[in-house]
Amino acid sequence: MTRIIAGRWGGRRLTVPTGDGTRPTSDRVRESMFASLNSLLGGFDGLRVLDLYAGSGALGLEALSRGAVHADLVESYAKAARTIQRNVKELGAPAEVHAVTAQRFVDEESGPWDVVFLDPPYAVPNAEIEAILTALRPYLDPDAVVVVERAKRDPFDWPEGFEGLRDKAYGDTRLWYGH
């Protein structure tokens, strides 16, 4: 079960795609992630969010629940994109679902965004993540925070133009925060 942890929709359950096309971030990891983001950002009120590889949309929807004003939820897996659309509709969330690849989205859209989540399948190579981050850089607010979620065993380095702020492991998952 995936649920919204806090904010106006706190406790609401989200539909998650069935099958192995997505890997939902656990409630424990999301709770820690949002506590870190809250301290780095000073809250979510008025922020614009980009959730790449959105899965169920849980990360972007959590940010909206906590006060963000808009989220772009990007998911190329059609079944997951339909699930996200259902979650957005049920919550009445101010979000737009984009059923395209993360790379195509960043090549065709522009921000600005204040918070970006990159939670790709673990099989996605770091070179692809770095290319997406490099393409996103011009569209980020100067104070934007980016969170990359990967397997703990996979190394990750921020591309040129980004500064790492912190990283933390939770079981087999590691989160990197940068700007």
Side-chain angles (χ1 to χ4, degrees):
M1 173 188 71
T2 298
R3 64 183 176 83
I4 301 289
I5 297 165
R8 65 181 161 175
W9 301 314
R12 294 277 301 265
R13 291 181 180 190
L14 296 173
T15 303
V16 297
T18 57
D20 59 2
T22 62
R23 177 192 33 79
T25 302
S26 73
D27 285 357
R28 177 178 162 256
V29 172
R30 271 189 298 114
E31 192 165 359
S32 296
M33 176 192 300
F34 278 87
S36 289
L37 284 169
N38 196 55
S39 74
L40 290 168
L41 296 165
F44 292 86
D45 289 346
L47 300 183
R48 295 182 51 85
V49 175
L50 175 58
D51 185 355
L52 297 170
Y53 308 94
S56 67
L59 297 176
L61 294 170
E62 183 75 39
L64 290 170
S65 182
R66 293 171 185 244
V69 295
H70 180 79
D72 286 299
L73 308 171
V74 180
E75 177 56 60
S76 65
Y77 179 46
K79 187 176 187 178
R82 287 190 301 273
T83 299
I84 297 167
Q85 191 63 52
R86 190 171 336 136
N87 286 331
V88 165
K89 184 177 180 182
E90 286 177 9
L91 294 171
E96 191 171 343
V97 180
H98 307 271
V100 298
T101 67
Q103 187 67 59
R104 181 169 173 199
F105 180 82
V106 300
D107 288 344
E108 296 177 358
E109 300 292 329
S110 60
W113 292 286
D114 305 293
V115 182
V116 177
F117 301 104
L118 279 96
D119 181 14
Y122 288 160
V124 171
N126 279 340
E128 183 176 323
I129 295 168
E130 291 171 12
I132 289 168
L133 287 168
T134 299
L136 270 177
R137 183 75 232 156
Y139 305 112
L140 299 179
D141 182 88
D143 296 321
V145 175
V146 178
V147 182
V148 176
E149 181 176 338
R150 302 290 284 159
K152 184 171 80 170
R153 68 185 177 279
D154 292 338
F156 174 75
D157 291 313
W158 290 100
E160 188 173 324
F162 286 86
E163 175 187 355
L165 299 170
R166 62 175 76 154
D167 65 275
K168 177 113 171 111
Y170 304 90
D172 291 336
T173 300
R174 182 173 292 279
L175 301 177
W176 284 269
Y177 301 84
H179 71 102

